[in-house]
Amino acid sequence: MRKVIYEFGQCDPKRCSGHRMVKYNKIQSLNLKSRFNGIVLAPNATQSISPADRELMERRGIGLIDCSWNQIDSFDFRKVNISSKNGRLLPFLVAANTINYGKPYKLNCVEALSAALYIVGEKEEAVGVFEGFSYGDEFLKLNKDLLEMYSQCANSLEVVKQQNEYLEKNRRK
């Protein structure tokens, strides 16, 4: 499956998982002006990734936007040449990376890529992208039940419904 990333250079390259994936040849860095018509994980998307995205991902690939969580509110997503209808959010998951460990939604690039692959049914590839990253097993362990639950949904609406039910149930504890 084709995997691409738009890098904005906002992170420390020594700690940036997106930069490391490019270095390890796990993902291709795209020029910001390059058009990409696959599924793109983007915080400004309007629907969640789901197993229904698998066919498009197999045909056109998956893309990431590598920008800093600290600068997300000021980020101009129009700089990236992607189809707005193919933007996807990730549902509730918990980070295992060393910078945002235990924080909900604060996944880094390799965690986001792995989660998306897992949710659409590419579980072996989801595990494989963590090669060279020490926290991969921890991420998959922390989120195993959620990833399994999301991967059983038919579409984005079901993923969001399952996420909301999970959050409501765990809010009461």
Side-chain angles (χ1 to χ4, degrees):
M1 183 179 300
R2 183 175 185 212
K3 299 172 201 73
V4 303
I5 189 167
Y6 291 97
E7 295 182 280
F8 283 84
Q10 295 176 334
C11 308
D12 176 357
K14 293 177 184 167
R15 297 169 61 178
C16 178
S17 69
H19 186 75
R20 283 177 58 197
M21 284 192 297
V22 171
K23 184 178 165 184
Y24 295 157
N25 294 314
K26 293 179 179 287
I27 198 164
Q28 172 192 5
S29 183
L30 283 185
N31 179 297
L32 296 181
K33 293 181 175 40
S34 296
R35 182 90 174 137
F36 181 70
N37 291 315
I39 296 295
V40 177
L41 299 178
N44 67 331
T46 58
Q47 63 180 328
S48 178
I49 188 105
S50 76
D53 295 313
R54 183 177 184 154
E55 183 183 333
L56 182 58
M57 283 173 60
E58 286 174 343
R59 282 188 295 120
R60 300 213 175 129
I62 183 164
L64 305 170
I65 297 173
D66 184 10
C67 59
S68 170
W69 280 110
N70 294 331
Q71 300 176 40
I72 199 80
D73 292 334
S74 63
F75 189 78
D76 183 3
F77 288 97
R78 294 174 297 186
K79 292 179 182 179
V80 184
N81 193 4
I82 59 173
S83 169
S84 61
K85 70 178 190 243
N86 294 347
R88 296 293 185 273
L89 294 166
L90 284 170
F92 175 84
L93 294 163
V94 179
N97 66 73
T98 55
I99 296 169
N100 289 310
Y101 186 90
K103 294 180 183 175
Y105 301 106
K106 296 275 185 156
L107 310 185
N108 66 16
C109 288
V110 70
E111 291 171 323
L113 178 59
S114 176
L117 291 166
Y118 197 104
I119 290 167
V120 302
E122 295 288 338
K123 295 177 183 179
E124 283 184 32
E125 204 163 342
V127 172
V129 297
F130 275 120
E131 188 178 315
F133 293 88
S134 61
Y135 49 86
D137 289 341
E138 181 69 8
F139 175 79
L140 295 168
K141 186 173 105 181
L142 275 174
N143 294 289
K144 182 169 182 35
D145 292 341
L146 289 167
L147 290 166
E148 278 299 318
M149 179 177 72
Y150 300 142
S151 73
Q152 300 305 311
C153 295
N155 56 43
S156 178
L157 292 174
E158 281 188 29
V159 169
V160 172
K161 180 180 181 225
Q162 290 292 323
Q163 167 196 260
N164 292 344
E165 287 174 5
Y166 172 85
L167 291 172
E168 182 60 31
K169 178 179 149 189
N170 287 287
R171 202 177 324 224
R172 295 182 195 146
K173 288 184 179 181

